[in-house]
Amino acid sequence: MASRRDYTLDDWLRRFETLHPKKIDLTLDRVAAVIDRLELKPPPYKVVTVAGTNGKGSCVAMLESIYWHAGYDVGAFTSPHLWRFNERIRLNGADAEDAELVELFEIVDSTLGGITLSYFESSTVAALLHFARRRVEVAVLEVGMGGRLDASNAVDADCALVVSIDLDHREWLGDDREAIGREKAGIVRRGKPVVIADRDPPRSVLAFAAAEGALPRVIGRDFDFVREQGGWRRVPGDDARVWSLPPFGGDEQYGNAAACAVAVDCLAAELPVGDEALAAGIRNAYLRGRFERRDVDGVEWIFDVAHNPAAVAVLAASVGRLPRAPRTLALFAAMRDKDLSGVVAPFLPSVDTWFVTQANAERGATGEELRAVLAASGARAVETAVDIAAATAAARAAAQPGARVLVFGSFVTVGAAANALGLYCAPSRLGGQPAKWTRV
């Protein structure tokens, strides 16, 4: 292989995919040591860390947009990506460039010594380094898994946001909401605010916040929203202003938007945000692959990265509010470690034909495994394909004008299906009209 001095971005990503012996290693000592060597602690910017089972991406997108509209330089770190790694590290809404990422990985690699980092850990360090070098004023970090031992938790949050807590990644986080909640609550810090957007938070979350001396703000107790014609109002609120929602997702965005507004309030002494910037930030937030609706040759395609029962239930509710299509097809591929029966259940009554395949060679359930799950669940008709591109072609061939095709199950599924249709989401820029998927 070429000298590391000549590495491309793909070369660096391949290196960090195999450098550490474990793809998932929930410890903080190694990543914290590298962060210390790079003198990235404490971060020279305010940090909002977002954890939760569902809704993390939505909240990151809204907070990123709010702070940009308020005039701040803002960084955002998210995972996974749909099309290209660059989406994970953003500055003012723009994906990092290849050259920037290569330089960042070179610096991270030169600092390792005898330490090895995983793909996600090295990405986290690269993001923190990028934000410091570009002198952002606030960074919004999405937790990859859990919270307490996630690499994003190697730096202290000035405000923590716990969006929702449900059953996911149980092999790593625990078998019930109490155990999972304790892991997610690990992002809170003593004397710092934590916004909890789950209406029924596990006792473990509140107990951990109290033990840490954090300052909790809980939806339904300390803040809330009231739905109004054309939007929603904050509760408590200082006026009768009606706020808009972002252009993605469904009813879950009311609570997410309210929680983001409270998080902004919590940091207002150091990062003041006016009402106009708050409103514009929420209204113009942009998020790839969440209830994205696109017309392809007279067929409505809906793309959503929902991959656990709670997220798919929200997606099904959003689809249920649309005019009924004469025929509904589903393109589905998911990871084997998910509750597959629970994931497909919300759409069993409405999907006429399922097109299934393997999303990921390492963790993805095979087409035959998915067929068996659907057959046992009572699905009407199921077709398997060799890969997502073939499944997309089969669904497209079967869909007549006026039909609807649902694409869900994982980020890999959505990204690959969109590519197979010739759709690509250009790097988003904050402000004005959000970027849209375009034909290529």
Side-chain angles (χ1 to χ4, degrees), residues 35-272:
I35 288 172
D36 285 340
R37 291 178 184 180
L38 290 168
E39 299 182 346
L40 296 175
K41 287 180 68 176
Y45 42 78
K46 293 300 176 186
V47 174
V48 182
T49 304
V50 184
T53 306
N54 297 305
K56 292 180 294 186
S58 298
C59 288
V60 171
M62 282 187 269
L63 289 167
E64 179 184 22
S65 181
I66 289 166
Y67 281 118
W68 185 86
H69 280 86
Y72 297 104
D73 285 326
V74 53
F77 174 61
T78 61
S79 66
H81 58 271
L82 282 178
W83 289 282
R84 49 182 210 145
F85 177 88
N86 310 57
E87 300 165 23
R88 297 180 180 226
I89 301 176
R90 299 190 297 275
L91 178 65
N92 294 333
D95 298 344
E97 299 290 344
D98 282 15
E100 292 176 312
L101 292 169
V102 165
E103 184 177 358
L104 292 168
F105 281 125
E106 287 175 344
I107 295 172
V108 173
D109 189 67
S110 69
T111 312
L112 293 180
I115 297 174
T116 59
L117 294 181
S118 69
Y119 180 96
F120 182 79
E121 290 166 343
S122 62
S123 303
T124 305
V125 177
L128 298 175
L129 178 60
H130 185 50
F131 301 153
R133 284 159 58 92
R134 297 296 294 271
R135 298 183 179 180
V136 304
E137 294 158 281
V138 56
V140 188
L141 310 180
E142 179 183 357
V143 170
M145 182 189 298
R148 181 175 65 94
L149 296 176
D150 187 82
S152 62
N153 199 37
V155 294
D156 294 334
D158 295 287
C159 179
L161 172 54
V162 180
V163 187
S164 67
I165 299 154
D166 216 306
L167 301 179
D168 203 9
H169 300 299
R170 282 181 284 182
E171 69 276 26
W172 299 100
L173 305 180
D175 288 330
D176 54 41
R177 291 182 76 241
E178 290 297 330
I180 293 171
R182 169 61 180 81
E183 291 298 316
K184 295 187 186 300
I187 66 171
V188 309
R189 293 296 190 270
R190 180 170 298 278
K192 300 294 185 181
V194 52
V195 181
I196 301 170
D198 191 309
R199 289 191 179 274
D200 182 26
R203 292 186 300 274
S204 59
V205 175
L206 301 177
F208 185 84
E212 284 294 303
L215 307 174
R217 301 285 301 279
V218 185
I219 193 168
R221 188 189 79 179
D222 305 302
F223 72 94
D224 215 324
F225 63 86
V226 174
R227 296 176 64 161
E228 295 280 358
Q229 183 72 27
W232 59 286
R233 280 194 301 107
R234 299 182 64 180
V235 178
D238 54 3
D239 57 32
R241 177 167 189 153
V242 177
W243 304 81
S244 299
L245 285 178
F248 51 80
D251 284 356
E252 77 281 3
Q253 300 303 353
Y254 288 102
N256 290 342
C260 288
V262 172
V264 169
D265 288 346
C266 289
L267 296 180
E270 295 168 293
L271 296 171

